[in-house]
Amino acid sequence: MGFVKKNLLCLCVAVTLFPQLVVCITRHYTFNIEYKNVTRLCHTRTILSVNGKFPGPRLVAREGDRVLVKVVNHISNNVTIHWHGVRQKTTGWSDGPAYVTQCPIQTNQTYTYNFTITGQRGTLFWHAHISWLRATLYGPIIILPKHNESYPFQKPHKEIPILFGEWYNVDPEAIINQALQTGGGPNVSDAYTINGLPGPFYNCSSKDTFKLKVKPNKTYLLRIVNAALDEELFFSIANHSLTVVEADARYTKPFTTDTLLITPGQTTNVLLKTKSYFPNTTFLMVARPYVTGLGTFDNSTLAGILYYKQHNTSIKNLPFLKPTLPQLNDTNFASNFSRKFKSLANSKFPINVPKKVDKKFFFTVGLGTSPCPKNTTCQGPTNTTKFAASVNNFSFVLPSVSIMQAYYFGKSNGVYKTDFPETPLNPFNYTGTPPNNTMVNNGTKLVVLKFNTSVELVLQDTSILGAESHPLHLHGYDFFVVGQGFGNYDPNKDPAKFNLVDPVERNTVGVPAGGWVAIRFFADNPGVWFMHCHLEVHTSWGLRMAWLVLDGQESNQKLQPPPSDLPKC
């Protein structure tokens, strides 16, 4: 679990109406970023790890706790850690995306991330947020309810983190560096993993299989995280159904499904009710990709084993059942599944969805091209172009300094501009015939919002180089998913169908392939907040931008001063 001390009380609230003290504590962790030799698929590779663990250690806290994580960099790469989904109210210096809210932690340097978990409970995860280091630097964040608070569902017999990832037989940094140099698509992963293990469907991997031992007639809480770099995943357990109760650390109205679809960056808690008897069978837990684009992908299947513990029975001698998953490109399943998520929206867990909107934005997201350097050939869509990606046709360029530091100290000149377009500069039929010119613009442009502005953002997929689903992640915020559809968004007809009663609250949403999604949020968290596709290759190609939210009037509505140990570029 990393090194954790839990005996320090943080500032707590004494509620005069109740005799008991609301106890919250400060939890101290140390994350040592270090090398570790790991063998998978008969390939031994030196990977990056935290405290020698792969996947990394669990970070456990209760809602309301303050968390201090001292990150010590023992490797040659620069590194940062992002606490994916943690709201970071006024603590943007601890958010983690390199060159956005901080300079990276250099070799033999340390940085202590300091944040308080407010209004969230469930599962999130942490991961490196520079280049492709999150391929192996990731782990779960488990947020328990406050003391004396219970789950709004049956208390589980046991809780099990389930982390999906991707395994590469070679260094992922070499893969993305080569892709950016040649302009082509990167080589795909060699396997998917569940808690770091690929499972029996891969060569030389049967011993590296995740096994979940259960008892009959019990309820298990599976804390599911998709930490994979580049693939959305279907997941199912043979002959068992799953009840979804939480998404991105927000409780949801429970619904039951045989198959989950989870994008990179999303987390979901599900209840698994086991059978009332000892079945004479083992059950495969299977995941494989949901694919919508034209590019290459890892078309393999990950498996773990669920088995019922019985005396004197070896699971080797038992037959196994395998679940049936949707087709690779089943966009109808994806659309129907995402529509099932709704907030609890009750008196104990109310929601505050903006009914009135101050600012409306319309962003196109998708792939495009950029020209090859002169006198060279590339491996992009043509031999004279490279693959690129953009938001409103701007491919975001990360500066060599921290954007938020430049903003805070009034040194933005030459670092960024504040003229990011609110709508596409050149409208076209976004899901129809692509335009002749597929070139993207490049720049470091932000949108500036006044504190507490109510925002509506429509994200529209484009089919310029093929329609594709894009899991968009917004740092520093949870947002309400109020609408979605296929084709081009119609501002005259589609808003009438928005759900403003119980929309799901998330930090990562899949923009449908050849479609759109509408989100709303209040800009109540000052700072610079990254928004990007959580398919790492698309982020590397520039499908990213940032919001600058100004300070409010009250002292608790202002970005806190930077800590003294903030890394330098």
Side-chain angles (χ1 to χ4, degrees), residues 154-160 213-221 271-272 274:
Q154 179 184 354
K155 188 175 190 296
H157 169 68
K158 197 173 178 184
E159 302 184 8
I160 298 110
K213 179 174 67 177
V214 298
K215 296 178 179 178
N217 213 25
K218 299 287 185 187
T219 299
Y220 293 80
L221 180 69
L271 298 176
L272 167 69
T274 57

Side-chain angles (χ1 to χ4, degrees), residues 46-355:
T46 301
I47 68 164
L48 309 181
S49 75
V50 168
N51 300 343
K53 294 180 183 295
F54 171 66
R58 302 177 188 183
L59 191 154
V60 181
R62 288 192 180 276
E63 181 191 346
D65 284 353
R66 184 178 172 215
V67 179
L68 297 177
V69 188
K70 181 181 181 182
V71 176
V72 188
N73 186 5
H74 300 284
I75 63 173
S76 58
N77 306 68
N78 289 344
V79 75
T80 70
I81 302 291
H82 170 51
W83 317 95
H84 183 109
V86 173
R87 282 291 319 268
Q88 299 287 0
K89 287 294 282 282
T90 74
T91 56
W93 305 108
S94 289
D95 191 44
Y99 305 109
V100 178
T101 58
Q102 69 166 98
C103 300
I105 307 164
Q106 298 176 34
T107 307
N108 297 325
Q109 300 294 307
T110 69
Y111 179 47
T112 298
Y113 293 89
N114 181 350
F115 53 89
T116 299
I117 294 172
T118 307
Q120 296 178 289
R121 57 211 77 78
T123 304
L124 297 170
F125 72 120
W126 59 263
H127 61 78
H129 210 303
I130 182 169
S131 190
W132 279 24
L133 299 195
R134 79 174 173 91
T136 57
L137 285 175
Y138 64 86
I141 300 175
I142 295 169
I143 308 172
L144 303 170
K146 293 176 180 174
H147 277 291
N148 302 321
E149 297 251 324
S150 57
Y151 295 126
F153 46 81
Q154 179 184 354
K155 188 175 190 296
H157 169 68
K158 197 173 178 184
E159 302 184 8
I160 298 110
I162 301 281
L163 281 80
F164 298 124
E166 286 180 270
W167 172 260
Y168 294 81
N169 284 334
V170 299
D171 181 6
E173 288 301 280
I175 291 174
I176 184 55
N177 290 339
Q178 180 189 31
L180 293 176
Q181 200 170 352
T182 64
N187 291 341
V188 300
S189 56
D190 294 286
Y192 300 107
T193 59
I194 179 168
N195 293 351
L197 302 170
F201 293 166
Y202 295 100
N203 288 336
C204 191
S205 188
S206 59
K207 70 180 192 313
D208 292 323
T209 299
F210 174 72
K211 299 181 179 73
L212 177 58
K213 179 174 67 177
V214 298
K215 296 178 179 178
N217 213 25
K218 299 287 185 187
T219 299
Y220 293 80
L221 180 69
L222 306 184
R223 296 177 172 272
I224 300 176
V225 174
N226 187 349
L229 282 184
D230 285 312
E231 298 299 344
E232 304 183 49
L233 293 169
F234 293 117
F235 173 66
S236 185
I237 303 175
N239 212 12
H240 289 72
S241 58
L242 303 168
T243 301
V244 175
V245 292
E246 176 261 320
D248 293 359
R250 298 284 182 180
Y251 293 137
T252 61
K253 287 187 171 72
F255 70 89
T256 299
T257 180
D258 293 333
T259 303
L260 293 177
L261 173 60
I262 185 164
T263 76
Q266 287 185 336
T267 56
T268 303
N269 279 3
V270 301
L271 298 176
L272 167 69
K273 183 82 168 66
T274 57
K275 300 182 181 305
S276 58
Y277 56 92
F278 281 108
N280 222 11
T281 310
T282 57
F283 303 90
L284 288 182
M285 312 161 64
V286 171
R288 76 147 191 251
Y290 164 59
V291 180
T292 53
L294 300 176
T296 54
F297 63 96
D298 178 355
N299 188 11
S300 64
T301 302
L302 149 76
I305 293 173
L306 181 143
Y307 69 101
Y308 286 70
K309 179 61 177 167
Q310 280 178 279
H311 298 299
N312 307 322
T313 305
S314 167
I315 65 170
K316 289 179 181 174
N317 303 325
L318 293 174
F320 61 79
L321 288 177
K322 183 181 176 184
T324 302
L325 291 173
Q327 295 296 310
L328 282 168
N329 61 349
D330 193 338
T331 53
N332 285 327
F333 177 92
S335 175
N336 293 333
F337 181 73
S338 64
R339 291 177 196 274
K340 292 179 181 177
F341 286 83
K342 298 189 185 321
S343 291
L344 269 186
N346 59 22
S347 57
K348 186 167 185 187
F349 300 102
I351 60 169
N352 182 27
V353 59
K355 303 284 191 348

Side-chain angles (χ1 to χ4, degrees), residues 21 31 49 80 101 145 200 250 272 299 362 369 405 478 510 520:
L21 187 70
F31 277 20
S49 75
T80 70
T101 58
R250 298 284 182 180
L272 167 69
N299 188 11
F362 181 80
T369 58
Q405 276 176 277
D478 288 330
R520 289 186 179 184

Side-chain angles (χ1 to χ4, degrees), residues 371-561:
C372 269
K374 280 186 177 173
N375 303 321
T376 62
T377 57
C378 287
Q379 295 172 12
T382 69
N383 62 10
T384 61
T385 59
K386 293 183 169 193
F387 278 106
S390 64
V391 183
N392 273 355
N393 207 43
F394 273 94
S395 191
F396 192 83
V397 178
L398 286 175
S400 55
V401 297
S402 155
I403 294 173
M404 198 156 79
Q405 276 176 277
Y407 156 68
Y408 189 86
F409 292 109
K411 296 180 178 178
S412 62
N413 198 15
V415 177
Y416 64 84
K417 294 181 178 177
T418 56
D419 58 349
F420 188 88
E422 296 181 8
T423 56
L425 298 178
N426 299 299
F428 61 99
N429 181 1
Y430 306 113
T431 55
T433 305
N436 292 329
N437 181 8
T438 61
M439 292 291 182
V440 302
N441 299 306
N442 297 295
T444 309
K445 295 175 180 287
L446 315 184
V447 171
V448 180
L449 294 171
K450 289 181 180 175
F451 184 84
N452 219 28
T453 300
S454 57
V455 175
E456 178 182 288
L457 168 62
V458 175
L459 295 158
Q460 172 74 57
D461 180 39
T462 67
S463 57
I464 291 176
L465 292 180
E468 190 164 359
S469 175
H470 298 280
L472 258 289
H473 172 49
L474 175 60
H475 288 229
Y477 287 91
D478 288 330
F479 49 74
F480 295 96
V481 183
V482 295
Q484 66 175 64
F486 288 117
N488 295 336
Y489 173 71
D490 186 335
N492 298 314
K493 294 179 181 175
D494 288 325
K497 296 176 277 192
F498 283 0
N499 174 11
L500 303 179
V501 177
D502 58 357
V504 69
E505 205 170 353
R506 303 207 75 136
N507 64 59
T508 305
V509 66
V511 181
W516 57 270
V517 66
I519 66 174
R520 289 186 179 184
F521 62 95
F522 287 102
D524 60 357
N525 194 5
V528 177
W529 302 107
F530 207 29
M531 189 177 81
H532 60 96
C533 183
H534 225 270
L535 303 179
E536 209 62 45
V537 60
H538 292 173
T539 297
S540 300
W541 285 340
L543 208 166
R544 52 197 182 186
M545 55 82 66
W547 307 79
L548 168 53
V549 179
L550 302 176
D551 284 348
Q553 297 295 318
E554 307 296 325
S555 58
N556 64 348
Q557 299 172 346
K558 298 182 190 302
L559 177 64
Q560 295 176 21

